[in-house]
Amino acid sequence: MRGKIAIVHALHALGRWADEVFVAGLHHVQVEGYSPEDTAAELRGLCGLAHAQHGRDDAPIVLAHLLADPERVTRVAAARGVADAGREGGVPLLHFKLLTGDDHAEVLAACAEALLHLTPDGAATFLQGLLSEHDERSEVVALALGGARVVGAVDTLQAWCVGASPEQRHRVGYLALALTRAEPALGYLLDAVASHGEVSALAATRALVTFRDDPGLLARLRAAITEQPAPLRRRLGELL
C-alpha cells in the first residue's frame, strides 16, 4: 500500500492526471492479515483530492461518495477536496454532512472549514444556526467559527457559552472566542479573568495565552490578573 500511496503523491507533485491510478484508487480496499483496518483509506482520499484539484467534471459525485466512506481518513480528505475544488456546487454536500453528523469530530471540522473557505458569509450564517445545541458538532462549529475569525459570530458564541455546561464553556467556548481576536470577545474573556471565580479565570487565561506573542493583549491580561486575590494571581501568572 505504501508504494501505491507514493505513486499518488508523486503524480500530485507533478500535476499529472492518470486514470489508471486516480480512478482505480477510488475503489481500492485493502485489509491485511487479521487486522480489520482498511489500509487503502488514505489512497481513496488522495484519489478524491486529485479529482477535485484537476477540475474533473465528476469530482462532486466522487467526493459525495467519499464523504460516505466507512473510513474517517477518507471522509476528511473528501471534505478538503470539496474546498480544493473551489466550486460552490459542493456546498450542499457539506451542508448535508454537517446536518446528518459524523462519528468523528475531525470530519465535521473539515466540512465546516471547507464551507467557510467556499462561501464565508453564507457558511457563517449556516454554522451559527448549528449552535442551538451543545453537542460535539456544536463544539466543532464553535471552534471553526473562531478559527476563521468570524467577527459577526461573537454574540452567538457568547450566547452559546452561557448555555453550555461550565466544563464545555471553559474547554471550548472560551477558546473559540479567543480565536476570533475580536475586541468584544477579548473583553468578555478579560472580564472573566478579572472578576470570575478561579475555574473561569484559569480557563479564560489559558484561552488568551494562545496569543502570548501579542504584547498588547498580554499587557491587558496581566492587568486583569491583578484584580484577583493574591493566591489566584499567582496561579494565573504561572500561565503567562
Side-chain angles (χ1 to χ4, degrees):
M1 183 52 58
R2 290 179 182 175
K4 293 183 178 69
I5 290 174
I7 291 170
V8 170
H9 279 302
L11 289 170
H12 270 294
L14 293 170
R16 290 179 54 189
W17 176 264
D19 275 357
E20 66 275 17
V21 175
F22 294 132
V23 176
L26 291 173
H27 310 289
H28 191 66
V29 175
Q30 188 165 322
V31 179
E32 301 175 351
Y34 294 100
S35 171
E37 182 182 359
D38 178 2
T39 59
E42 182 182 357
L43 177 68
R44 293 195 297 278
L46 289 169
C47 290
L49 282 171
H51 277 72
Q53 291 167 355
H54 284 271
R56 302 277 294 184
D57 290 340
D58 60 345
I61 294 174
V62 165
L63 295 171
H65 281 266
L66 294 180
L67 278 173
D69 192 274
E71 298 295 330
R72 171 189 57 83
V73 171
T74 309
R75 299 196 301 277
V76 169
R80 292 173 179 162
V82 174
D84 284 352
R87 299 178 182 176
E88 291 191 14
V91 168
L93 289 176
L94 299 170
H95 276 240
F96 180 77
K97 189 63 178 173
L98 283 161
L99 288 168
T100 55
D102 194 278
D103 292 336
H104 293 275
E106 186 181 356
V107 177
L108 297 176
C111 289
E113 290 162 8
L115 263 182
L116 287 163
H117 172 76
L118 289 172
T119 57
D121 294 336
T125 300
F126 169 68
L127 292 173
Q128 286 181 79
L130 298 181
L131 290 178
S132 58
E133 304 293 335
H134 288 85
D135 52 9
E136 184 178 53
R137 180 182 65 183
S138 69
E139 293 182 3
V140 168
V141 166
L143 292 172
L145 288 166
R149 299 181 70 172
V150 179
V151 176
V154 170
D155 288 345
T156 306
L157 287 170
Q158 287 180 352
W160 186 81
C161 283
V162 170
S165 68
E167 187 276 334
Q168 189 178 52
R169 177 166 60 251
H170 297 154
R171 175 174 52 83
V172 178
Y174 283 1
L175 178 57
L177 284 167
L179 288 172
T180 68
R181 301 297 295 269
E183 183 54 39
L186 297 180
Y188 179 93
L189 293 171
L190 288 166
D191 179 63
V193 173
S195 60
H196 292 198
E198 178 178 344
V199 177
S200 291
L202 285 166
T205 300
R206 290 190 186 98
L208 288 168
V209 296
T210 303
F211 307 106
R212 55 165 47 90
D213 58 339
D214 181 337
L217 178 57
L218 207 56
R220 295 173 67 190
L221 181 54
R222 288 195 178 98
I225 288 172
T226 63
E227 299 297 317
Q228 291 285 7
L232 182 53
R233 282 204 307 270
R234 286 193 292 272
R235 290 197 64 190
L236 294 171
E238 290 170 358
L239 296 175
L240 301 182

